[in-house]
Amino acid sequence: VFDLFCIVVRQKMLSRKAGQMLLTAVFFINSLLLPQISMTIFDTFPCQKFDGDYGSFLVIDKTIDCTSAAHGTMRAYALSMIFVFPVGMPLFSLFLLRKKSHKLDPGQGEIEKKHLMRHDSSRHNALKETIGLRDEHEDIKHLRFLYESYQPKYWWYEVLEVYRKIVLTGGLRLLERGGGTQYGVALLICALSLRTIAAKKPYVTHAANRVSEIASWGLMLTMIGAMVTAWNERAEGKYSEKSGLTDALLVFVQVGGILLAVAIACYERKVFVQERALEDQERLLDKAKVVPAEKIEMVRSGSKT
């Protein structure tokens, strides 16, 4: 309702620039709220059945009887909300991006081929040219929160990331908590995400690609550590020293990943500054080599006399 209200206000009452700013704020707020809303929706379904005639109760709140009529109504409502929030909102974002895809990607593949034909193998130059062409379009600025971090040809990648986060934070709650299926699906998603980042490198900067890859490795190792801890506790029936060692390794992975990501970001920033300084120096040298046409003509006339 809030999103529809903002869209109507943008079309009827605000200027073009103000309307774009409003839509950008709406997309940002939605991206912050969507994971928590999705988790709340998915928490409506998992129930725990107790032995005997104790019945079945909601996992997150044992005071709610899953067999009651009131809970049945809430389950139906939550099921309908799945198509509105976890499924519908990313699809709506994809719809808006798809309508502007020809402007979001003004031919990055062709521009890269053109640079290769000119024996300019620098993908950075082709990417820079493509982003410059993309930024010329003012009517896509309100969507920049969805595409700005990615290369133009991967304008759709943010939608894929949103679905990945929704499945990992909320969708897994539909599976048996702590079961092999839950961990297996989580590891599969992490592995596919890691492979996609390593192969496509969808982000604009090298630092962002490397940091994202490190984060994916950290998440996968965390999943493996949580799975090992859960299985050790099930086997021994209590929290063991092996679980403590696994927890210590997980802390090391998390802290080490953060420090490594910061180090990579600082190094990439240093390289970026050096490259900019080199480009500025080359530009100044090129200007110094250019001789105005008037001076050339004066030199020629002087030599004739």
Side-chain angles (χ1 to χ4, degrees):
V1 174
F2 173 74
D3 292 350
L4 291 176
F5 172 76
C6 291
I7 292 174
V8 172
V9 170
R10 171 182 175 265
Q11 292 179 345
K12 302 295 184 181
M13 302 175 61
L14 298 179
S15 63
R16 184 183 183 88
K17 185 175 182 180
Q20 290 180 349
M21 293 177 63
L22 177 62
L23 283 183
T24 302
V26 168
F27 279 118
F28 179 73
I29 294 173
N30 286 341
S31 66
L32 293 179
L33 296 179
L34 183 58
Q36 185 61 45
I37 293 174
S38 301
M39 290 171 60
T40 303
I41 292 173
F42 288 123
D43 279 338
T44 310
F45 299 97
C47 296
Q48 183 177 357
K49 188 175 183 180
F50 291 88
D51 296 335
D53 298 328
Y54 288 102
S56 178
F57 297 89
L58 198 65
V59 171
I60 63 169
D61 189 352
K62 297 300 191 297
T63 63
I64 299 178
D65 187 357
C66 289
T67 60
S68 64
H71 182 66
T73 304
M74 290 304 301
R75 284 171 66 96
Y77 175 70
L79 183 62
S80 64
M81 288 298 103
I82 288 179
F83 296 98
V84 175
F85 288 100
V87 176
M89 289 182 65
L91 278 181
F92 180 65
S93 299
L94 181 61
F95 170 75
L96 294 177
L97 291 171
R98 183 69 181 85
K99 286 178 62 178
K100 305 291 185 179
S101 60
H102 61 287
K103 296 181 180 180
L104 294 170
D105 179 17
Q108 183 178 353
E110 295 299 324
I111 293 175
E112 289 177 350
K113 291 180 181 179
K114 181 178 68 175
H115 279 259
L116 288 174
M117 291 177 64
R118 293 187 314 192
H119 303 288
D120 179 11
S121 59
S122 175
R123 294 180 67 251
H124 173 73
N125 293 335
L127 178 60
K128 188 175 180 181
E129 180 180 345
T130 310
I131 292 176
L133 294 174
R134 182 182 68 181
D135 291 343
E136 292 178 358
H137 301 287
E138 293 294 331
D139 57 336
I140 63 174
K141 294 295 184 181
H142 62 284
L143 300 173
R144 63 179 179 272
F145 183 76
L146 297 172
Y147 68 79
E148 196 171 27
S149 300
Y150 307 102
Q151 296 186 43
K153 61 182 177 182
Y154 298 122
W155 51 266
W156 44 264
Y157 196 82
E158 179 64 21
V159 178
L160 183 65
E161 276 291 285
V162 170
Y163 276 125
R164 180 185 69 86
K165 295 173 184 176
I166 290 174
V167 173
L168 289 177
T169 57
L172 293 178
R173 294 169 180 257
L174 299 177
L175 304 176
E176 180 187 358
R177 182 164 297 188
T181 304
Q182 189 181 57
Y183 286 115
V185 172
L187 290 175
L188 177 61
I189 294 174
C190 292
L192 291 176
S193 175
L194 181 61
R195 175 56 183 162
T196 302
I197 295 172
K200 298 295 185 181
K201 301 187 185 308
Y203 294 91
V204 171
T205 63
H206 294 294
N209 287 310
R210 292 181 182 180
V211 170
S212 180
E213 191 171 348
I214 291 171
S216 297
W217 273 111
L219 183 59
M220 178 178 288
L221 293 176
T222 300
M223 292 289 183
I224 294 174
M227 180 176 62
V228 172
T229 300
W231 286 355
N232 285 337
E233 292 180 5
R234 285 186 179 183
E236 300 184 13
K238 60 180 181 179
Y239 187 82
S240 62
E241 294 182 358
K242 294 180 180 179
S243 299
L245 179 61
T246 304
D247 292 344
L249 290 175
L250 288 177
V251 172
F252 174 77
V253 168
Q254 297 296 324
V255 176
I258 293 174
L259 294 177
L260 183 58
V262 171
I264 290 176
C266 293
Y267 173 76
E268 293 288 345
R269 177 63 182 174
K270 180 181 178 181
V271 172
F272 173 76
V273 172
Q274 292 177 347
E275 289 179 350
R276 287 292 298 272
L278 184 60
E279 290 177 359
D280 292 341
Q281 184 178 2
E282 291 177 351
R283 194 178 300 112
L284 291 174
L285 290 175
D286 292 338
K287 289 182 178 179
K289 293 178 181 178
V290 175
V291 181
E294 294 82 359
K295 291 186 177 181
I296 295 177
E297 192 64 30
M298 290 176 61
V299 171
R300 287 178 178 176
S301 60
S303 62
K304 290 180 180 180
T305 56

